[in-house]
Amino acid sequence: MAAKHKIYPMLADKLKEENKKHQKKVKPRFQPRGCAILYEDQDIIVVDKVSGLLTMGSDRERQKTAYQHVTHYVKKGNVRSRNRIFIVHRLDKDTSGVLVFAKTVEAKTFLQTEWSNFSKKYIAVVEGKLAEKEGIIESYLTENSIHRVFSIKNPNKGKYAKTAYKVFRESKYFSMLDIKLFTGRKNQIRVHFADMGHPVVGDKVYGIKGKGVKRLALHSASLTMQHPYTKKEMTFESSIPPFFKQLLK
């Protein structure tokens, strides 16, 4: 199943500096809780979400979400404001990192239509040492009645999922991976590495329970996308959480 694959590098520093020129300086007063602003203009807002915060509401929690906190931010505290945001994609509650919201329906439609063409890079710490230090994982994913995702072989009963990885640091017990998603299925990374016998550290659903790890070691490190209005390619990045590095000491 594994095959050699080269992880695509980040865009040049020149492009990053160009992106920064268009970034608004965020005033601290209405900085959304748990969502540091990475970039904002009239079409999109990109944040760095903390682990433990839902992207959007669930049956159990509707207020303490990235969507609600960023909505409050764009309204600047005015409940009558017509400013709003639209969900483009999601990160799992316990996954941190780059998260994009649209500010218009047109921007949302464009980003969702083109989403599969954008480059998404994740960083994860998994259990153990991988025999293959670089490879591709492919399977078909489906979901059961209790919303647990798992791999199956029948392509007619699941959605195709493809994940590329490369080990760039390891210790006696853990490996840190550079991950590229070719598809964006629910819990894709977590299921794929659990299938390999190397679950993501801190994964209470697909991983090893009872280790006392404080959070899921999965982070959305960068997103390279096309701006919905200017059509320029832009890259947004989030630093590797210090906790990940501590695991490998």
Side-chain angles (χ1 to χ4, degrees):
M1 181 174 287
K4 291 295 181 181
H5 176 77
K6 182 178 180 181
I7 302 296
Y8 295 128
M10 305 301 296
L11 291 181
D13 291 339
K14 183 177 179 180
L15 179 57
K16 296 176 188 176
E17 291 301 319
E18 180 66 24
N19 292 342
K20 289 180 181 179
K21 291 179 183 179
H22 301 285
Q23 185 171 354
K24 288 185 178 181
K25 187 174 181 180
V26 178
K27 295 180 179 180
R29 184 179 178 187
F30 293 109
Q31 182 77 250
R33 287 174 292 173
C35 296
I37 304 296
L38 297 176
Y39 178 87
E40 181 185 6
D41 61 25
Q42 63 184 1
D43 300 292
I44 61 174
I45 182 166
V46 186
V47 303
D48 189 355
K49 186 185 83 68
V50 298
S51 175
L53 182 67
L54 288 166
T55 295
M56 58 182 290
S58 65
D59 292 337
R60 295 183 179 181
E61 180 59 67
R62 295 191 177 277
Q63 297 303 316
K64 295 179 181 179
T65 67
Y67 174 78
Q68 288 295 339
H69 293 337
V70 178
T71 294
H72 177 73
Y73 163 76
V74 299
K75 288 179 176 291
K76 300 295 186 289
N78 180 3
V79 295
R80 295 183 179 180
S81 171
R82 293 185 178 181
N83 294 337
R84 60 177 302 189
I85 61 170
F86 301 87
I87 293 171
V88 175
H89 67 121
R90 305 179 193 180
L91 293 179
D92 291 342
K93 177 182 177 181
D94 295 322
T95 301
S96 55
V98 180
L99 180 65
V100 181
F101 293 100
K103 286 188 171 182
T104 67
V105 174
E106 292 78 12
K108 173 192 174 183
T109 301
F110 174 83
L111 292 174
Q112 289 185 333
T113 300
E114 297 295 325
W115 194 252
S116 62
N117 297 321
F118 300 154
S119 178
K120 284 84 71 173
K121 173 184 171 182
Y122 285 74
I123 300 295
V125 179
V126 301
E127 301 279 351
K129 291 185 177 182
L130 282 70
E132 294 286 341
K133 305 305 180 184
E134 186 174 357
I136 291 179
I137 309 168
E138 298 174 279
S139 74
Y140 295 92
L141 300 180
T142 189
E143 189 173 356
N144 63 20
S145 60
I146 58 172
H147 308 296
R148 185 184 176 102
V149 179
F150 58 96
S151 293
I152 58 174
K153 295 182 179 180
N154 190 339
N156 296 319
K157 294 185 177 180
K159 295 180 179 180
Y160 177 67
K162 183 178 180 180
T163 306
Y165 72 89
K166 183 176 182 179
V167 177
F168 68 93
R169 190 180 300 177
E170 61 184 11
S171 66
K172 183 177 180 180
Y173 300 106
F174 304 119
S175 298
M176 188 178 291
L177 311 180
D178 186 352
I179 297 170
K180 176 182 173 61
L181 288 184
F182 289 93
T183 56
R185 309 304 183 193
K186 179 180 177 181
N187 294 350
Q188 175 177 325
I189 293 173
R190 296 163 65 185
V191 173
H192 273 175
F193 287 99
D195 288 347
M196 289 181 68
H198 299 283
V200 177
V201 173
D203 194 333
K204 297 177 181 178
V205 177
Y206 305 101
I208 300 172
K209 300 179 181 179
K211 279 203 167 186
V213 178
K214 62 183 180 180
R215 60 155 290 184
L216 180 72
L218 182 59
H219 183 69
S220 173
S222 77
L223 169 67
T224 298
M225 53 170 265
Q226 192 176 16
H227 190 278
Y229 179 74
T230 66
K231 301 302 185 288
K232 288 185 177 181
E233 193 172 64
M234 307 180 77
T235 294
F236 307 105
E237 296 179 309
S238 173
S239 301
I240 300 174
F243 167 66
F244 288 24
K245 299 176 183 179
Q246 293 171 5
L247 287 171
L248 277 85
K249 285 185 178 180

